[in-house]
């Protein structure tokens, strides 16, 4: 191999390793996690109750907003089971798709989920 080819391979290797370590550092220190992995909605579709399960204990400090598919806000009864779980009464709403927005100011969690009421 000639010297220029060896230098090229070393430079490419250096930047590859640097980008791998930089990515790991960014993920470790950013505190950002995929909201989909932090929250589970079940059963979906729901008929009487929809359960929201959190990975971290933030249930009682979270704000829940419910909207119809066309964007009208609706009020639904929520019951905090414990710091990891909330139960929402969907029994009295019409069948169809709805959006659930969850916000928690302390953790910075903001996510929106679609669920089906049968």
């Amino acid at each position: 191999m000639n010297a220029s080819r060896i230098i090229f391979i070393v430079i490419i290797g250096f930047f590859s390793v640097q980008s791998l370590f930089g990515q790991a550092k960014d993920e470790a220190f950013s505190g950002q996690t995929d909201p989909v992995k932090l929250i589970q909605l079940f059963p979906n579709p729901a008929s009487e109750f929809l359960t929201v399960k959190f990975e971290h204990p933030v249930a009682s400090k979270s704000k829940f907003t419910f909207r119809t598919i066309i964007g009208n806000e609706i009020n639904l009864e929520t019951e905090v089971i414990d710091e990891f779980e909330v139960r929402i009464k969907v029994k009295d709403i019409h069948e169809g798709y709805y959006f659930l927005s969850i916000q928690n100011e302390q953790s910075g969690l903001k996510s929106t989920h679609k669920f089906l009421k049968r």
Side-chain angles (χ1 to χ4, degrees):
M1 271 192 205
N2 62 23
S4 62
R5 187 171 183 162
I6 292 173
I7 292 172
F8 177 75
I9 292 171
V10 169
I11 290 172
I12 295 299
F14 173 76
F15 284 116
S16 297
V17 169
Q18 184 180 8
S19 68
L20 285 175
F21 283 114
Q23 181 180 4
K25 183 183 87 171
D26 291 344
E27 289 173 0
F29 293 111
S30 70
Q32 299 297 320
T33 310
D34 186 5
V36 174
K37 295 179 183 176
L38 293 175
I39 298 171
Q40 297 175 359
L41 265 69
F42 60 91
N44 194 3
S47 58
E48 293 190 23
F49 292 96
L50 180 69
T51 301
V52 179
K53 192 162 199 133
F54 295 91
E55 185 176 298
H56 300 291
V58 296
S60 66
K61 299 174 186 115
S62 297
K63 179 185 174 192
F64 300 92
T65 306
F66 305 95
R67 296 194 184 276
T68 64
I69 198 77
I70 61 171
N72 295 333
E73 190 170 330
I74 58 173
N75 292 319
L76 294 178
E77 182 181 328
T78 60
E79 175 186 7
V80 177
I81 305 298
D82 59 26
E83 285 299 316
F84 294 93
E85 190 171 335
V86 174
R87 187 167 62 179
I88 302 160
K89 184 179 177 183
V90 296
K91 181 181 179 179
D92 299 330
I93 61 176
H94 295 287
E95 291 183 354
Y97 284 100
Y98 294 88
F99 291 106
L100 165 61
S101 295
I102 303 171
Q103 291 183 330
N104 184 290
E105 297 298 326
Q106 290 179 331
S107 68
L109 172 71
K110 293 180 183 178
S111 63
T112 301
H113 306 269
K114 182 172 71 170
F115 68 93
L116 176 63
K117 166 41 168 97
R118 283 210 177 157

